[in-house]
Amino acid sequence: MQIDFAAGAAHDPIDKPGVAQLTRGLMDLGAGDMDESEVAMKLADLGARLGGGADTDRSTVSLRTLADPDKRTAAFAIMRAVISEPRFPEAVFERERARSLAALRESLTRPETIVSRAFWAGVYGDHPYGRQPSVESLAAIGIGDLRDFHAASYVARSAVVTIVGALSRAEAEGLALQLTDGLPA
């Protein structure tokens, strides 16, 4: 199962490029009543894998699980919590923002990154595709920015749900509705 949202980097606040990436990165590091360790342990116990990421246009959350109804139901509940109830814990936010800053600083020493950033800025200018995170913009992002971005972008109207597996159409439709019912319209 995969759910995509119009929540990629092109939707970042103008003055804070990097919000979409950080938001998606923290969503499965604590959701509902689970901290990041509980999310990981429950998925491992179920033999399920949660993935996804954010690109220019969209953010994705994907779930790969066994077809057994009990395992599928439990894994699905975790996915639903990640999408609709991320916790964005302060300590995890600080750690992940620091990790993103370190990765950005390191990438800015590589010629291919410098050329790629110049290309995107040159081609797209002030268009959202031309804006890229800087050390300053990442440092300026606060946890409230992530919460606001999630509330505005992870909504039912922009959700595209894809389901493949040993399910009937009715079961798939039911899962899709359950997944989007937990989101603001």
Side-chain angles (χ1 to χ4, degrees):
M1 175 180 287
Q2 179 171 306
I3 186 166
D4 297 304
F5 296 92
H11 302 278
D12 278 336
I14 292 172
D15 59 338
K16 295 187 179 173
V19 169
Q21 190 74 35
L22 272 174
T23 300
R24 176 56 195 97
L26 264 73
M27 287 173 58
D28 50 357
L29 299 179
D33 61 352
M34 302 169 286
D35 64 20
E36 65 182 309
S37 296
E38 290 173 296
V39 170
M41 287 188 318
K42 286 182 179 187
L43 288 167
D45 288 346
L46 294 167
R49 187 173 61 220
L50 194 66
D55 62 23
T56 305
D57 294 311
R58 65 188 175 147
S59 290
T60 299
V61 179
S62 61
L63 174 69
R64 186 172 179 95
T65 187
L66 299 171
D68 174 65
D70 292 338
K71 299 230 187 270
R72 183 179 67 216
T73 300
F76 175 78
I78 296 168
M79 181 185 196
R80 188 172 191 270
V82 164
I83 292 166
S84 60
E85 304 173 60
R87 293 172 61 182
F88 301 118
E90 186 75 35
V92 174
F93 166 72
E94 293 296 340
R95 180 190 74 213
E96 294 303 312
R97 183 176 60 176
R99 186 177 290 164
S100 294
L101 281 163
L104 178 60
R105 284 185 182 110
E106 189 277 326
S107 74
L108 292 173
T109 66
R110 294 187 305 229
E112 63 272 15
T113 299
I114 295 167
V115 169
S116 175
R117 290 171 68 90
F119 172 80
W120 283 86
V123 170
Y124 292 105
D126 289 335
H127 184 275
Y129 286 4
R131 291 192 305 262
Q132 299 170 50
S134 66
V135 171
E136 296 77 21
S137 73
L138 282 179
I141 295 171
I143 201 157
D145 296 314
L146 275 59
R147 289 186 176 117
D148 292 346
F149 185 81
H150 181 271
S153 302
Y154 286 81
V155 295
R157 75 175 171 272
S158 74
V160 177
V161 180
T162 307
I163 302 172
V164 176
L167 298 162
S168 69
R169 181 178 179 94
E171 288 171 316
E173 288 174 354
L175 287 175
L177 285 174
Q178 287 176 35
L179 195 59
T180 57
D181 278 349
L183 298 170

